[in-house]
Coordinates of all heavy atoms in Angstrom, one line a residue:
N237 N -37.5 32.5 -19.2 CA -37.5 31.5 -20.3 C -38.5 31.6 -21.3 O -38.3 31.2 -22.4 CB -37.5 30.0 -19.6 CG -36.3 29.8 -18.8 OD1 -35.2 30.2 -19.1 ND2 -36.5 29.0 -17.7
T238 N -39.7 32.2 -20.9 CA -40.8 32.3 -21.9 C -41.2 33.8 -22.1 O -40.9 34.6 -21.3 CB -42.0 31.5 -21.4 OG1 -42.4 32.1 -20.1 CG2 -41.6 30.0 -21.1
I239 N -42.0 33.9 -23.2 CA -42.5 35.3 -23.5 C -43.5 35.8 -22.4 O -43.4 36.8 -21.9 CB -43.3 35.3 -24.8 CG1 -42.4 34.9 -26.0 CG2 -44.1 36.5 -25.1 CD1 -41.5 36.0 -26.5
E240 N -44.2 34.8 -21.8 CA -45.1 35.0 -20.7 C -44.4 35.5 -19.5 O -44.8 36.5 -18.9 CB -45.9 33.8 -20.3 CG -47.0 33.3 -21.3 CD -46.3 32.5 -22.4 OE1 -45.4 31.7 -22.1 OE2 -46.7 32.7 -23.6
D241 N -43.3 34.9 -19.2 CA -42.4 35.4 -18.0 C -42.0 36.8 -18.3 O -42.0 37.6 -17.3 CB -41.1 34.5 -18.0 CG -41.4 33.2 -17.3 OD1 -42.4 33.0 -16.8 OD2 -40.3 32.4 -17.3
K242 N -41.5 37.1 -19.5 CA -41.0 38.4 -19.8 C -42.1 39.5 -19.7 O -41.9 40.5 -19.1 CB -40.4 38.4 -21.2 CG -39.1 37.6 -21.3 CD -38.5 37.7 -22.7 CE -37.3 36.8 -22.7 NZ -36.7 36.6 -24.0
N243 N -43.3 39.1 -20.2 CA -44.4 40.1 -20.2 C -44.8 40.4 -18.8 O -45.1 41.5 -18.4 CB -45.6 39.5 -21.0 CG -45.3 39.7 -22.5 OD1 -44.4 40.4 -22.9 ND2 -46.0 38.9 -23.2
R244 N -44.9 39.3 -18.0 CA -45.2 39.4 -16.6 C -44.3 40.3 -15.8 O -44.6 41.2 -15.1 CB -45.3 38.1 -15.9 CG -46.2 38.0 -14.6 CD -46.9 36.7 -14.3 NE -46.4 35.6 -15.1 CZ -45.6 34.7 -14.6 NH1 -45.1 34.7 -13.4 NH2 -45.2 33.6 -15.3
A245 N -43.0 40.1 -16.1 CA -41.9 40.9 -15.4 C -42.1 42.4 -15.8 O -42.0 43.3 -15.0 CB -40.6 40.4 -15.9
K246 N -42.4 42.6 -17.1 CA -42.6 44.0 -17.6 C -43.8 44.6 -16.9 O -43.7 45.8 -16.5 CB -42.7 44.0 -19.1 CG -41.4 43.8 -19.8 CD -41.6 44.0 -21.3 CE -40.3 43.5 -22.0 NZ -40.5 43.1 -23.4
K247 N -44.8 43.9 -16.7 CA -46.0 44.4 -16.0 C -45.7 44.8 -14.6 O -46.3 45.7 -14.0 CB -47.1 43.4 -16.0 CG -48.1 43.5 -17.2 CD -49.4 42.7 -16.9 CE -50.0 42.3 -18.2 NZ -50.7 41.0 -18.2
M248 N -44.7 44.0 -14.0 CA -44.4 44.3 -12.6 C -43.4 45.4 -12.5 O -42.8 45.8 -11.4 CB -43.7 43.1 -11.9 CG -44.7 42.0 -11.7 SD -43.9 40.5 -11.0 CE -43.6 41.1 -9.3

Side-chain angles (χ1 to χ4, degrees):
N237 293 329
T238 63
I239 297 285
E240 290 78 41
D241 278 355
K242 290 182 184 168
N243 287 340
R244 199 149 18 101
K246 282 182 189 157
K247 267 196 204 148
M248 288 177 76

